[in-house]
Amino acid sequence: MHIGLIGGIGVAATVVYYQRLTAAAAARGVAKLELTIVHGEIQELIRNNLADRRSQQAQAFLPLVTRLKDAGCDCVALSSLGAHFCLDELAALSPLPIVSAVAPLDAYFVEQDIKRIGLLGTRVVMRTRLYGQLARTDAIALDDEIELLGQTYQDIAVAGTCSASQRELFLDAGRRMTAAGADAIVLAGTDLNLAFDGQSPGYPVIDALDIHVALLADLASGRRSLSDVPS
C-alpha cells in the first residue's frame, strides 16, 4: 500500500515519522516502502488551530491530499496530532481515506491495561483530552498550566529543537501527573520526542507517534487493510 504523509507540521516531526516508519516497515519485511511526503505550512496550522478554524485548515490541507492522490497514494496520514483538530472536516473533503493517529489510542490503552493517562501536547489536545475520543480511558492534564505547556510545545515544534529548560518543564509535568494518578504519560505531540528521547524520567511514557507508525507500517506490509482501521 502506498502511504501518503502530510509533513512539515513541523519539520522535526516529519523527520521522526520518516525514520520510524521506514524502520517499522523494514521490521515487517517490506522490501520497498511506497511512501510520498508533502510539505504543509506549520505557521498556518498554528494560526488556524489557535482560532479553531477547522474548515479553513481542512481547505489548506486539501490540495496536499489531492497531490498525494495524484502521486498514487492509497491513504493519507497527518504527521501531527495537533493537526487532527480538523480531521472530521478534512475527511468530509478528502479524496483519500485518512488514517487517524488519535482513533487507535483508546484501544491500545485498554490492551495495555492503562486506565488513566497524563497528556502532553498542544493546548487543544490537552484541553479536549485528545479531542474527546477516549471512551474507555481516563485522561488528565495540568489544566492550570495548559497555556505555558502548550506555548512551549509550539516553540519546540517551530524551532525543531528543545532546550534543557524546556525539556525539564515537560519531564516535571509528567512527574506531577504521575503523582496525581496517571498510569502513563502520553506524548500526544509528535515533536515531544525532542524532549523525551534518550531520557529516563522514572515513569512510563507512551509516544502516540509509535502507535500511529505501527498502524501505518501494518498497512504498508499488508498485515492490515483500510477496512479494519479505526476512524
Side-chain angles (χ1 to χ4, degrees), residues 3 5 7 17 52 58 63-64 98 106 128 133 140 149 173 180 201 206 214 222-223:
I3 306 294
L5 189 66
Y17 256 91
D52 197 30
L64 301 178
I98 300 174
D106 203 20
T128 63
Q133 289 196 28
I140 62 173
L149 292 167
I206 297 170
R223 292 188 180 187

mmCIF file of all heavy atoms in Angstrom, residues 3 5 7 17 52 58 63-64 98 106 128 133 140 149 173 180 201 206 214 222-223:
data_model
loop_
_atom_site.group_PDB
_atom_site.id
_atom_site.type_symbol
_atom_site.label_atom_id
_atom_site.label_comp_id
_atom_site.label_asym_id
_atom_site.label_seq_id
_atom_site.Cartn_x
_atom_site.Cartn_y
_atom_site.Cartn_z
ATOM 1 N N ILE A 3 1.608 4.804 1.080
ATOM 2 C CA ILE A 3 1.247 5.695 2.175
ATOM 3 C C ILE A 3 1.553 7.133 1.792
ATOM 4 O O ILE A 3 2.645 7.443 1.292
ATOM 5 C CB ILE A 3 2.038 5.347 3.460
ATOM 6 C CG1 ILE A 3 1.855 3.862 3.826
ATOM 7 C CG2 ILE A 3 1.628 6.264 4.601
ATOM 8 C CD1 ILE A 3 0.464 3.476 4.211
ATOM 9 N N LEU A 5 1.882 11.023 3.361
ATOM 10 C CA LEU A 5 2.101 11.685 4.642
ATOM 11 C C LEU A 5 2.172 13.193 4.436
ATOM 12 O O LEU A 5 2.946 13.675 3.599
ATOM 13 C CB LEU A 5 3.404 11.186 5.271
ATOM 14 C CG LEU A 5 3.709 11.595 6.713
ATOM 15 C CD1 LEU A 5 2.713 10.973 7.671
ATOM 16 C CD2 LEU A 5 5.130 11.175 7.089
ATOM 17 N N GLY A 7 3.610 16.265 5.799
ATOM 18 C CA GLY A 7 4.676 16.641 6.708
ATOM 19 C C GLY A 7 4.813 18.144 6.815
ATOM 20 O O GLY A 7 3.923 18.895 6.436
ATOM 21 N N TYR A 17 8.848 10.774 11.929
ATOM 22 C CA TYR A 17 7.886 9.880 11.272
ATOM 23 C C TYR A 17 8.597 9.071 10.185
ATOM 24 O O TYR A 17 8.414 7.852 10.070
ATOM 25 C CB TYR A 17 6.739 10.682 10.651
ATOM 26 C CG TYR A 17 5.444 10.619 11.428
ATOM 27 C CD1 TYR A 17 5.154 11.548 12.405
ATOM 28 C CD2 TYR A 17 4.506 9.616 11.186
ATOM 29 C CE1 TYR A 17 3.962 11.503 13.123
ATOM 30 C CE2 TYR A 17 3.308 9.557 11.884
ATOM 31 C CZ TYR A 17 3.046 10.501 12.854
ATOM 32 O OH TYR A 17 1.871 10.444 13.567
ATOM 33 N N ASP A 52 -9.327 27.897 16.225
ATOM 34 C CA ASP A 52 -10.299 26.826 15.994
ATOM 35 C C ASP A 52 -10.967 26.969 14.622
ATOM 36 O O ASP A 52 -12.162 26.721 14.466
ATOM 37 C CB ASP A 52 -11.365 26.796 17.096
ATOM 38 C CG ASP A 52 -12.122 25.462 17.115
ATOM 39 O OD1 ASP A 52 -11.517 24.430 16.739
ATOM 40 O OD2 ASP A 52 -13.313 25.451 17.497
ATOM 41 N N ALA A 58 -8.808 22.559 6.992
ATOM 42 C CA ALA A 58 -9.129 21.444 6.098
ATOM 43 C C ALA A 58 -8.953 21.859 4.644
ATOM 44 O O ALA A 58 -8.413 21.095 3.817
ATOM 45 C CB ALA A 58 -10.553 20.964 6.360
ATOM 46 N N PRO A 63 -5.430 20.595 -0.950
ATOM 47 C CA PRO A 63 -4.544 20.478 -2.124
ATOM 48 C C PRO A 63 -3.387 19.511 -1.897
ATOM 49 O O PRO A 63 -2.926 18.860 -2.846
ATOM 50 C CB PRO A 63 -4.026 21.912 -2.311
ATOM 51 C CG PRO A 63 -5.017 22.782 -1.623
ATOM 52 C CD PRO A 63 -5.527 21.984 -0.467
ATOM 53 N N LEU A 64 -2.932 19.387 -0.653
ATOM 54 C CA LEU A 64 -1.852 18.451 -0.350
ATOM 55 C C LEU A 64 -2.344 17.012 -0.466
ATOM 56 O O LEU A 64 -1.631 16.150 -0.990
ATOM 57 C CB LEU A 64 -1.311 18.713 1.051
ATOM 58 C CG LEU A 64 -0.751 20.117 1.297
ATOM 59 C CD1 LEU A 64 -0.288 20.257 2.749
ATOM 60 C CD2 LEU A 64 0.392 20.420 0.350
ATOM 61 N N ILE A 98 -8.303 8.786 5.398
ATOM 62 C CA ILE A 98 -7.340 9.356 6.331
ATOM 63 C C ILE A 98 -7.123 8.367 7.476
ATOM 64 O O ILE A 98 -8.083 7.908 8.104
ATOM 65 C CB ILE A 98 -7.826 10.701 6.879
ATOM 66 C CG1 ILE A 98 -8.034 11.695 5.730
ATOM 67 C CG2 ILE A 98 -6.827 11.257 7.893
ATOM 68 C CD1 ILE A 98 -8.642 13.005 6.151
ATOM 69 N N ASP A 106 -7.236 4.730 22.148
ATOM 70 C CA ASP A 106 -8.072 4.204 23.227
ATOM 71 C C ASP A 106 -7.956 2.689 23.319
ATOM 72 O O ASP A 106 -7.770 2.128 24.410
ATOM 73 C CB ASP A 106 -9.532 4.619 22.998
ATOM 74 C CG ASP A 106 -10.354 4.630 24.279
ATOM 75 O OD1 ASP A 106 -9.754 4.687 25.373
ATOM 76 O OD2 ASP A 106 -11.588 4.582 24.188
ATOM 77 N N THR A 128 -8.959 19.333 25.369
ATOM 78 C CA THR A 128 -10.073 18.480 24.942
ATOM 79 C C THR A 128 -9.863 17.014 25.296
ATOM 80 O O THR A 128 -10.706 16.180 24.984
ATOM 81 C CB THR A 128 -10.267 18.575 23.422
ATOM 82 O OG1 THR A 128 -9.089 18.088 22.757
ATOM 83 C CG2 THR A 128 -10.552 20.005 22.987
ATOM 84 N N GLN A 133 -11.937 11.728 22.232
ATOM 85 C CA GLN A 133 -12.051 10.420 21.579
ATOM 86 C C GLN A 133 -11.678 9.250 22.480
ATOM 87 O O GLN A 133 -11.643 8.112 22.024
ATOM 88 C CB GLN A 133 -11.196 10.387 20.311
ATOM 89 C CG GLN A 133 -11.762 11.243 19.188
ATOM 90 C CD GLN A 133 -11.150 10.899 17.838
ATOM 91 O OE1 GLN A 133 -10.717 9.788 17.592
ATOM 92 N NE2 GLN A 133 -11.129 11.874 16.951
ATOM 93 N N ILE A 140 -5.960 12.957 32.164
ATOM 94 C CA ILE A 140 -5.789 14.157 32.959
ATOM 95 C C ILE A 140 -4.739 15.040 32.289
ATOM 96 O O ILE A 140 -3.936 14.578 31.471
ATOM 97 C CB ILE A 140 -5.364 13.838 34.408
ATOM 98 C CG1 ILE A 140 -4.000 13.123 34.452
ATOM 99 C CG2 ILE A 140 -6.438 13.031 35.114
ATOM 100 C CD1 ILE A 140 -3.454 12.940 35.858
ATOM 101 N N LEU A 149 2.461 25.124 28.915
ATOM 102 C CA LEU A 149 2.920 23.896 28.282
ATOM 103 C C LEU A 149 2.637 23.916 26.781
ATOM 104 O O LEU A 149 3.468 23.491 25.968
ATOM 105 C CB LEU A 149 2.261 22.689 28.932
ATOM 106 C CG LEU A 149 2.684 22.391 30.377
ATOM 107 C CD1 LEU A 149 1.738 21.377 31.013
ATOM 108 C CD2 LEU A 149 4.121 21.887 30.425
ATOM 109 N N ALA A 173 6.370 18.052 34.417
ATOM 110 C CA ALA A 173 4.914 17.940 34.249
ATOM 111 C C ALA A 173 4.498 16.476 34.264
ATOM 112 O O ALA A 173 3.472 16.113 34.876
ATOM 113 C CB ALA A 173 4.486 18.603 32.940
ATOM 114 N N ALA A 180 -0.262 12.350 40.431
ATOM 115 C CA ALA A 180 -1.703 12.580 40.539
ATOM 116 C C ALA A 180 -2.525 11.375 40.107
ATOM 117 O O ALA A 180 -3.761 11.455 40.094
ATOM 118 C CB ALA A 180 -2.098 13.799 39.712
ATOM 119 N N PRO A 201 12.842 9.275 32.605
ATOM 120 C CA PRO A 201 12.085 10.149 33.508
ATOM 121 C C PRO A 201 11.636 9.486 34.810
ATOM 122 O O PRO A 201 11.239 10.178 35.747
ATOM 123 C CB PRO A 201 10.877 10.562 32.666
ATOM 124 C CG PRO A 201 10.706 9.454 31.684
ATOM 125 C CD PRO A 201 12.089 8.966 31.376
ATOM 126 N N ILE A 206 4.441 6.851 26.861
ATOM 127 C CA ILE A 206 3.948 6.282 25.607
ATOM 128 C C ILE A 206 3.957 7.380 24.551
ATOM 129 O O ILE A 206 3.354 8.442 24.744
ATOM 130 C CB ILE A 206 2.516 5.733 25.764
ATOM 131 C CG1 ILE A 206 2.493 4.592 26.779
ATOM 132 C CG2 ILE A 206 1.961 5.257 24.420
ATOM 133 C CD1 ILE A 206 1.096 4.155 27.163
ATOM 134 N N ALA A 214 3.075 2.267 13.835
ATOM 135 C CA ALA A 214 2.848 0.818 13.775
ATOM 136 C C ALA A 214 1.653 0.490 12.886
ATOM 137 O O ALA A 214 1.690 -0.465 12.096
ATOM 138 C CB ALA A 214 2.640 0.263 15.180
ATOM 139 N N GLY A 222 0.697 -4.944 4.434
ATOM 140 C CA GLY A 222 -0.449 -5.795 4.131
ATOM 141 C C GLY A 222 -0.974 -6.564 5.326
ATOM 142 O O GLY A 222 -1.890 -7.371 5.191
ATOM 143 N N ARG A 223 -0.404 -6.320 6.509
ATOM 144 C CA ARG A 223 -0.905 -7.007 7.700
ATOM 145 C C ARG A 223 -2.308 -6.545 8.080
ATOM 146 O O ARG A 223 -3.059 -7.280 8.708
ATOM 147 C CB ARG A 223 0.036 -6.769 8.889
ATOM 148 C CG ARG A 223 1.406 -7.422 8.752
ATOM 149 C CD ARG A 223 2.188 -7.309 10.042
ATOM 150 N NE ARG A 223 3.504 -7.920 9.926
ATOM 151 C CZ ARG A 223 4.340 -8.085 10.941
ATOM 152 N NH1 ARG A 223 3.979 -7.669 12.155
ATOM 153 N NH2 ARG A 223 5.520 -8.642 10.771
#
